[in-house]
Amino acid sequence: MNDRLFSLCTPCPDGFKFCRQFQARDFRRAPFALYAPSSEAAKEFLGQHLPRLTGVILIQGDHLSSEEAAPLVSQITVSSAMLPYLADFALHQLLQINQRVNSEERQSFLALENERLELNNLRASEEFIRFRASLLQEIDERRAAERHLAENEGLLRLIMSSTVEAIFGINNDGLCTFANESCLKMLGYDHIGEVLGRNMHDLIHHRTPDGLPIPFEECRIINSFTGGAPVIDSDEFFFRRDGSSFPVEYSSFPIRKEDDIVGGVVTWRDITERKRAELELRLFKESVDNSTDAVGMATPEGKHIYQNEAFSKLFGEIGQNPADVFVDKNVAGEMFKTIMSGIQWTGEVGMYAKDKSVLQIHLRAYANKDAKGKIIGLVGIHTDITERKRSEEERLNMERQLLHAQKLESLGVLAGG
């Protein structure tokens, strides 16, 4: 029955075919549906044949309505919103007309037809209302999702701009796709336009501080993306805009879109100060380790945590309590109270050697403090003065013996006189 849909309008609605002139054989043999720009145009086209035809005339209007154009021809006004569904609607009308076209009681048929049309009109109107409500709801949900996405993107940009860590993104060719303010500032650039779209390897990572070139294909950052595995490194150097280099610690992670890697993001920080502090700490540790004085360290609670090689040679491996190596535990307690009050303690004490013999030790103990004045550790510097003490004692004995001999000699001279 699809070939029974005709149209006087161009372009035709979907499913309808254009009629240039009236063909009696097409319109008389079965019910038809005719789409026309107006009722007058349809009646003029059908002419004198209208009373003998069976079918439906469809014209466009503002509201859905129906009326009788001829005894067996209904005229239905349809809104523009129904045009996408007009072919299905027309076929449904023709099917109903075809079932009732041979009815013996024409008046009963027309009454049923009018009732059906009204019901169909009501159903079509209800369906359109439901469709429109569903469409509006979908539009509202999509707009809400777009607003939420825009808010999240704005928040993400704000977070990236506010973080102290430097962040930049690149595509698979190494071209910069974004960079936050910390990244630009650390590299010496004023705005994003100076790095956007440029090759970041050639810009900041193209050679070593010694001047040796790093080929693009050997760049660990790029390889971490193409290989699909993240890279964390703290032994790399970047170059500033002025050509100076500085040590960095970075983490590079690939960006995936579905199953493909489309680039990566690099988060990094300048570790110049940390490297300097590590060097100073290493030099300090080497100085302490190689010192001829025995150095021991403890926590503010008095727990032994470090001793250098000279300390081990004198006292061996001691337990957690440094007071165990003191001959007089009271002296150890007084020393601890003194240095915890912020005052350096200096004196000579007796301490047990590794072989359990008693050594005479010159001890200087003090507390280490942080920038806020809080005690973070205790340090003791021990100098073995046992031999020096023994030498001094022997010298005093010799002096006493010599003095005694001189006295005896003086007495002999007096006796002889």
Side-chain angles (χ1 to χ4, degrees):
M1 196 171 286
N2 292 36
D3 60 346
R4 308 298 298 159
L5 307 181
F6 306 98
S7 174
L8 301 181
C9 303
T10 55
C12 299
D14 292 340
F16 287 72
K17 60 183 178 180
F18 180 66
C19 283
R20 295 184 178 275
Q21 59 183 359
F22 179 82
Q23 297 290 337
R25 63 178 181 273
D26 292 330
F27 286 81
R28 286 183 179 178
R29 65 186 181 188
F32 67 92
L34 178 65
Y35 180 70
S38 64
S39 176
E40 292 76 12
K43 291 178 180 178
E44 182 180 354
F45 176 80
L46 297 174
Q48 60 182 350
H49 303 283
L50 181 59
R52 299 188 296 275
L53 298 177
T54 302
V56 59
I57 297 173
L58 304 170
I59 62 174
Q60 186 172 343
D62 296 330
H63 305 287
L64 187 64
S65 62
S66 65
E67 60 184 68
E68 185 178 349
L72 293 177
V73 178
S74 299
Q75 178 177 297
I76 301 177
T77 302
V78 295
S79 64
S80 58
M82 292 185 61
L83 288 180
Y85 320 104
L86 194 59
D88 293 338
F89 178 80
L91 291 173
H92 184 69
Q93 300 295 322
L94 295 183
L95 181 62
Q96 297 295 325
I97 293 174
N98 194 53
Q99 292 176 352
R100 293 173 174 80
V101 72
N102 297 322
S103 175
E104 295 180 358
E105 297 181 1
R106 180 167 169 271
Q107 295 298 329
S108 176
F109 166 73
L110 291 176
L112 292 174
E113 184 68 11
N114 288 334
E115 181 181 354
R116 183 190 61 76
L117 287 176
E118 290 177 359
L119 181 60
N120 286 344
N121 291 343
L122 179 61
R123 289 176 179 174
S125 178
E126 291 175 350
E127 290 176 359
F128 175 72
I129 290 173
R130 287 194 296 270
F131 169 75
R132 182 175 180 274
S134 176
L135 181 61
L136 291 177
Q137 182 180 358
E138 182 178 349
I139 292 174
D140 289 341
E141 292 175 353
R142 182 173 299 176
R143 287 176 177 174
E146 290 175 351
R147 286 195 300 269
H148 183 65
L149 180 61
E151 292 173 357
N152 287 343
E153 290 177 349
L155 180 60
L156 180 60
R157 286 193 294 271
L158 180 62
I159 293 174
M160 290 182 58
S161 299
S162 302
T163 181
V164 296
E165 289 192 329
I167 304 173
F168 68 84
I170 55 177
N171 60 20
N172 288 336
D173 295 324
L175 305 182
C176 179
T177 56
F178 66 88
N180 69 347
E181 294 181 5
S182 295
C183 177
L184 297 174
K185 183 178 179 180
M186 291 185 191
L187 294 176
Y189 294 94
D190 298 324
H191 55 83
I192 183 66
E194 294 179 301
V195 298
L196 199 63
R198 299 182 64 180
N199 189 299
M200 293 301 286
H201 176 77
D202 295 340
L203 199 65
I204 67 171
H205 195 224
H206 54 287
R207 59 185 173 88
T208 66
D210 299 331
L212 299 177
I214 302 176
F216 179 81
E217 57 271 12
E218 295 180 10
C219 178
R220 294 190 65 199
I221 296 176
I222 301 298
N223 291 336
S224 71
F225 303 153
T226 56
V231 170
I232 300 176
D233 201 332
S234 59
D235 193 23
E236 291 276 5
F237 286 84
F238 285 171
F239 287 86
R240 299 185 182 92
R241 185 179 188 178
D242 60 8
S244 60
S245 64
F246 59 99
V248 298
E249 178 182 72
Y250 72 84
S251 303
S252 58
F253 295 88
I255 297 177
R256 299 179 182 273
K257 186 176 182 180
E258 296 179 352
D259 295 331
D260 298 325
I261 297 176
V262 296
V265 60
V266 180
T267 302
W268 59 276
R269 62 179 64 89
D270 183 350
I271 58 173
T272 302
E273 292 302 322
R274 193 177 80 186
K275 286 286 187 180
R276 182 181 296 113
E278 289 175 353
L279 176 60
E280 293 176 354
L281 180 62
R282 185 169 64 254
L283 293 176
F284 171 76
K285 186 176 185 303
E286 290 176 355
S287 299
V288 173
D289 288 343
N290 298 324
S291 173
T292 56
D293 289 326
V295 180
M297 297 183 184
T299 65
E301 295 75 27
K303 178 182 177 182
H304 182 72
I305 56 174
Y306 170 81
Q307 62 189 51
N308 67 352
E309 185 176 351
F311 188 100
S312 299
K313 288 180 178 179
L314 280 180
F315 308 110
E317 296 296 330
I318 68 172
Q320 294 186 353
N321 187 2
D324 291 342
V325 295
F326 282 76
V327 175
D328 189 343
K329 302 297 188 294
N330 293 328
V331 173
E334 292 175 2
M335 180 197 68
F336 181 78
K337 293 179 181 179
T338 301
I339 60 178
M340 286 302 294
S341 66
I343 301 175
Q344 178 176 294
W345 189 94
T346 304
E348 295 181 2
V349 296
M351 302 183 72
Y352 292 111
K354 182 164 57 175
D355 60 1
K356 302 306 179 181
S357 62
V358 176
L359 300 175
Q360 294 299 314
I361 301 295
H362 179 273
L363 174 60
R364 181 165 62 91
Y366 58 91
N368 273 333
K369 300 179 181 179
D370 61 13
K372 296 182 179 180
K374 179 182 178 181
I375 295 177
I376 57 175
L378 309 177
V379 180
I381 301 176
H382 311 73
T383 303
D384 184 6
I385 59 174
T386 304
E387 291 300 325
R388 191 182 73 187
K389 282 288 189 179
R390 183 179 294 111
S391 298
E392 290 179 354
E393 186 65 27
E394 290 177 354
R395 180 178 58 81
L396 290 175
N397 287 335
M398 290 181 63
E399 289 178 352
R400 285 194 293 267
Q401 291 175 6
L402 179 60
L403 182 60
H404 181 68
Q406 290 175 346
K407 288 181 178 180
L408 291 177
E409 184 179 358
S410 299
L411 290 175
V413 172
L414 290 175

Coordinates of all heavy atoms in Angstrom, one line a residue, residues 94-130:
L94 N -5.1 4.5 5.7 CA -5.5 3.8 4.5 C -5.9 2.4 4.9 O -6.9 1.8 4.3 CB -4.4 3.8 3.4 CG -4.1 5.1 2.8 CD1 -3.0 5.0 1.8 CD2 -5.3 5.8 2.3
L95 N -5.2 1.7 5.8 CA -5.6 0.4 6.2 C -6.9 0.4 6.8 O -7.7 -0.6 6.6 CB -4.5 -0.1 7.2 CG -4.7 -1.6 7.7 CD1 -4.6 -2.6 6.5 CD2 -3.7 -1.9 8.8
Q96 N -7.2 1.3 7.7 CA -8.5 1.4 8.3 C -9.6 1.7 7.3 O -10.7 1.1 7.3 CB -8.5 2.5 9.3 CG -7.6 2.3 10.5 CD -8.0 1.1 11.3 OE1 -9.2 0.8 11.5 NE2 -7.0 0.4 11.8
I97 N -9.4 2.5 6.3 CA -10.4 2.8 5.3 C -10.6 1.6 4.4 O -11.7 1.3 4.0 CB -9.9 4.0 4.4 CG1 -9.9 5.3 5.2 CG2 -10.8 4.2 3.2 CD1 -9.3 6.5 4.5
N98 N -9.5 0.9 4.1 CA -9.6 -0.3 3.2 C -10.5 -1.4 3.9 O -11.2 -2.1 3.2 CB -8.3 -0.8 2.9 CG -8.3 -1.8 1.7 OD1 -8.8 -1.5 0.7 ND2 -7.7 -3.0 1.9
Q99 N -10.4 -1.5 5.2 CA -11.2 -2.5 5.9 C -12.7 -2.1 6.0 O -13.5 -3.0 6.1 CB -10.6 -2.6 7.3 CG -9.2 -3.3 7.4 CD -8.7 -3.3 8.8 OE1 -9.3 -2.7 9.7 NE2 -7.5 -4.0 9.0
R100 N -13.0 -0.9 5.9 CA -14.4 -0.4 6.0 C -15.0 0.1 4.7 O -16.1 0.5 4.7 CB -14.4 0.6 7.1 CG -14.1 0.1 8.5 CD -14.0 1.2 9.5 NE -13.9 0.8 10.8 CZ -12.7 0.4 11.4 NH1 -11.6 0.4 10.6 NH2 -12.7 -0.1 12.6
V101 N -14.2 0.1 3.6 CA -14.7 0.7 2.4 C -15.9 -0.1 1.8 O -16.7 0.5 1.1 CB -13.6 0.8 1.3 CG1 -13.2 -0.6 0.8 CG2 -13.9 1.7 0.2
N102 N -16.1 -1.4 2.1 CA -17.2 -2.2 1.5 C -18.3 -2.3 2.5 O -19.2 -3.2 2.4 CB -16.7 -3.6 1.2 CG -15.6 -3.5 0.1 OD1 -15.7 -2.7 -0.9 ND2 -14.6 -4.4 0.1
S103 N -18.3 -1.5 3.5 CA -19.4 -1.5 4.5 C -20.8 -1.2 3.9 O -20.9 -0.3 3.0 CB -19.2 -0.5 5.6 OG -20.3 -0.5 6.5
E104 N -21.8 -2.0 4.3 CA -23.2 -1.8 3.7 C -23.8 -0.5 4.2 O -24.5 0.2 3.4 CB -24.1 -2.9 4.0 CG -23.6 -4.3 3.4 CD -24.5 -5.4 3.8 OE1 -25.5 -5.2 4.5 OE2 -24.3 -6.5 3.3
E105 N -23.5 -0.1 5.4 CA -24.1 1.1 5.9 C -23.1 2.2 5.9 O -22.2 2.3 6.8 CB -24.6 0.9 7.4 CG -25.7 -0.2 7.4 CD -26.2 -0.4 8.8 OE1 -25.7 0.3 9.8 OE2 -27.1 -1.3 9.0
R106 N -23.3 3.1 5.0 CA -22.3 4.2 4.8 C -22.3 5.1 6.0 O -21.2 5.6 6.4 CB -22.7 4.9 3.5 CG -21.7 6.1 3.2 CD -22.0 6.6 1.7 NE -21.3 7.8 1.5 CZ -21.8 9.0 1.7 NH1 -23.0 9.1 2.2 NH2 -21.1 10.1 1.5
Q107 N -23.4 5.4 6.6 CA -23.5 6.3 7.7 C -22.7 5.7 8.9 O -22.0 6.4 9.6 CB -24.9 6.6 8.0 CG -25.7 7.4 7.0 CD -25.1 8.7 6.7 OE1 -24.5 9.4 7.6 NE2 -25.2 9.2 5.4
S108 N -22.9 4.4 9.1 CA -22.2 3.8 10.2 C -20.7 3.8 10.0 O -19.9 4.0 10.9 CB -22.7 2.4 10.4 OG -22.0 1.7 11.4
F109 N -20.3 3.6 8.8 CA -18.9 3.6 8.4 C -18.3 5.0 8.7 O -17.2 5.1 9.3 CB -18.7 3.2 7.0 CG -17.4 3.5 6.4 CD1 -16.3 2.8 6.8 CD2 -17.2 4.6 5.6 CE1 -15.0 3.1 6.3 CE2 -15.9 4.9 5.1 CZ -14.9 4.2 5.4
L110 N -19.0 6.0 8.3 CA -18.5 7.4 8.5 C -18.4 7.7 10.0 O -17.5 8.4 10.4 CB -19.4 8.4 7.8 CG -19.4 8.4 6.2 CD1 -20.4 9.4 5.7 CD2 -18.0 8.7 5.7
A111 N -19.4 7.2 10.8 CA -19.3 7.5 12.2 C -18.1 6.8 12.8 O -17.4 7.4 13.6 CB -20.6 7.0 12.8
L112 N -17.9 5.5 12.4 CA -16.8 4.8 13.0 C -15.5 5.4 12.5 O -14.5 5.5 13.2 CB -16.8 3.3 12.5 CG -17.9 2.5 13.1 CD1 -18.0 1.1 12.4 CD2 -17.8 2.3 14.6
E113 N -15.5 5.9 11.2 CA -14.3 6.5 10.7 C -13.9 7.8 11.5 O -12.8 8.0 11.8 CB -14.5 6.8 9.2 CG -13.2 7.4 8.5 CD -12.1 6.4 8.4 OE1 -12.4 5.2 8.7 OE2 -11.0 6.8 8.1
N114 N -15.0 8.6 11.7 CA -14.7 9.8 12.5 C -14.2 9.5 13.9 O -13.3 10.2 14.4 CB -16.0 10.7 12.5 CG -16.3 11.3 11.2 OD1 -15.5 11.5 10.4 ND2 -17.6 11.5 11.0
E115 N -14.8 8.5 14.5 CA -14.4 8.1 15.9 C -13.0 7.7 15.9 O -12.2 8.0 16.8 CB -15.3 7.0 16.4 CG -15.0 6.6 17.8 CD -15.9 5.5 18.3 OE1 -16.9 5.2 17.6 OE2 -15.6 5.0 19.4
R116 N -12.6 6.9 14.8 CA -11.3 6.4 14.8 C -10.3 7.5 14.5 O -9.2 7.5 15.1 CB -11.2 5.4 13.6 CG -9.8 4.7 13.5 CD -9.7 3.9 12.2 NE -9.9 4.8 11.0 CZ -9.0 5.6 10.6 NH1 -7.8 5.7 11.1 NH2 -9.2 6.4 9.5
L117 N -10.7 8.4 13.7 CA -9.8 9.6 13.4 C -9.6 10.4 14.7 O -8.4 10.8 14.9 CB -10.4 10.4 12.3 CG -10.3 9.8 10.9 CD1 -11.0 10.7 9.9 CD2 -8.8 9.6 10.4
E118 N -10.6 10.6 15.4 CA -10.5 11.4 16.6 C -9.6 10.7 17.6 O -8.7 11.3 18.3 CB -11.9 11.6 17.2 CG -12.7 12.6 16.4 CD -14.1 12.8 17.0 OE1 -14.4 12.1 18.1 OE2 -14.9 13.5 16.5
L119 N -9.8 9.3 17.7 CA -8.9 8.5 18.6 C -7.5 8.6 18.2 O -6.6 8.7 19.0 CB -9.4 7.1 18.7 CG -8.7 6.2 19.6 CD1 -8.7 6.7 21.1 CD2 -9.2 4.7 19.6
N120 N -7.3 8.4 16.9 CA -5.9 8.4 16.3 C -5.3 9.8 16.5 O -4.1 9.9 16.8 CB -5.9 8.1 14.9 CG -6.1 6.6 14.6 OD1 -6.0 5.8 15.5 ND2 -6.5 6.2 13.4
N121 N -6.1 10.8 16.3 CA -5.6 12.2 16.5 C -5.2 12.4 18.0 O -4.1 13.0 18.3 CB -6.7 13.2 16.2 CG -6.9 13.2 14.7 OD1 -6.1 12.7 13.9 ND2 -8.1 13.8 14.3
L122 N -6.0 11.8 18.9 CA -5.7 12.0 20.3 C -4.4 11.2 20.7 O -3.6 11.7 21.4 CB -6.9 11.5 21.2 CG -6.7 11.5 22.7 CD1 -6.5 12.9 23.1 CD2 -7.9 10.9 23.4
R123 N -4.3 10.0 20.1 CA -3.1 9.2 20.4 C -1.9 9.8 19.8 O -0.8 9.9 20.4 CB -3.3 7.8 19.8 CG -4.3 6.9 20.6 CD -4.5 5.6 19.9 NE -5.5 4.7 20.6 CZ -5.9 3.6 20.2 NH1 -5.5 3.1 19.0 NH2 -6.7 2.9 20.9
A124 N -2.0 10.3 18.6 CA -0.9 11.0 17.9 C -0.5 12.2 18.7 O 0.7 12.5 18.9 CB -1.2 11.4 16.5
S125 N -1.5 12.9 19.2 CA -1.2 14.1 20.0 C -0.5 13.7 21.3 O 0.5 14.4 21.7 CB -2.4 14.9 20.3 OG -2.2 16.0 21.1
E126 N -1.0 12.7 22.0 CA -0.3 12.2 23.2 C 1.1 11.7 23.0 O 2.0 12.0 23.8 CB -1.2 11.1 23.9 CG -2.5 11.6 24.4 CD -3.4 10.5 24.9 OE1 -3.0 9.3 24.6 OE2 -4.4 10.8 25.5
E127 N 1.3 10.9 21.9 CA 2.6 10.4 21.6 C 3.6 11.6 21.3 O 4.7 11.6 21.7 CB 2.5 9.5 20.4 CG 1.8 8.2 20.7 CD 1.7 7.3 19.4 OE1 2.1 7.8 18.3 OE2 1.2 6.2 19.5
F128 N 3.0 12.6 20.6 CA 3.9 13.7 20.3 C 4.3 14.5 21.5 O 5.4 14.9 21.7 CB 3.2 14.7 19.3 CG 4.0 15.9 19.0 CD1 5.1 15.9 18.3 CD2 3.5 17.2 19.6 CE1 5.9 17.1 18.0 CE2 4.3 18.3 19.3 CZ 5.4 18.3 18.6
I129 N 3.3 14.6 22.5 CA 3.6 15.3 23.7 C 4.6 14.5 24.5 O 5.6 15.1 25.1 CB 2.3 15.5 24.6 CG1 1.4 16.5 23.9 CG2 2.6 15.9 26.0 CD1 0.0 16.6 24.5
R130 N 4.5 13.2 24.6 CA 5.5 12.4 25.3 C 6.8 12.5 24.6 O 7.9 12.6 25.3 CB 5.0 10.9 25.3 CG 3.9 10.7 26.3 CD 3.7 9.2 26.6 NE 3.3 8.4 25.4 CZ 2.1 8.2 25.0 NH1 1.1 8.7 25.8 NH2 1.8 7.5 23.9

